[in-house]
Amino acid sequence: MDCPVCKNEPMIVLELNEVEIDYCLSCKGIWLDAGELELLLGSSTETVEFLNSFTSDDITKEKTHKCPICNKKMEKILVIGNRKVRIDKCKYNHGIWFDSGELEDILGMRKLDNKNKVLTLLNDMLGKKIKE
Ligand SMILES: [Zn+2]
Ligand SMILES: [Zn+2]
């Protein structure tokens, strides 16, 4: 699957907590197929509430990307935690695109059961220092 930002750049597949994620070495963006964010966050009521708090953001001027699966324009989703993060989500529910650092921001927003485990794995994998 090619990176939706770099276009003809194939992403590599990494396994994180038994979830396969697609990672672009060039822009450091991450693609999660539908349902994989839920798997990473764990299935607590907090997760469900958190995911339900995502709202679409039509007024942002941020450049939209195309879904790497259906090639249709994705919509911007605003996630509000201790900071605001805009992610790209396929309208046809193929998955979610995170620009570099956005997945870490989102994982860091909530007191999730497996947050530390997932963050540590992710940062190990991407060779970054853990930011809390
Ligand atoms: Zn890329
Ligand atoms: Zn799609």
Side-chain angles (χ1 to χ4, degrees), residues 67 69-70 90 92 94:
C67 170
I69 294 174
C70 65
C90 172
Y92 305 96
H94 290 121

Side-chain angles (χ1 to χ4, degrees), residues 17 37-48 50 106-121 132:
N17 222 12
L37 181 62
E38 289 85 335
L39 287 175
L40 286 179
L41 294 174
S43 56
S44 61
T45 29
E46 255 212 345
T47 299
V48 176
F50 182 49
I106 285 172
L107 290 171
M109 273 179 192
R110 304 290 290 214
K111 290 194 190 70
L112 302 158
D113 301 340
N114 52 2
K115 168 189 145 187
N116 289 333
K117 191 178 155 205
V118 175
L119 264 182
T120 308
L121 279 170
E132 277 292 315

Side-chain angles (χ1 to χ4, degrees), residues 31-35 67 69-71 90-96:
W31 170 261
L32 289 180
D33 286 328
C67 170
I69 294 174
C70 65
N71 212 28
C90 172
K91 287 175 195 155
Y92 305 96
N93 222 5
H94 290 121
I96 307 175

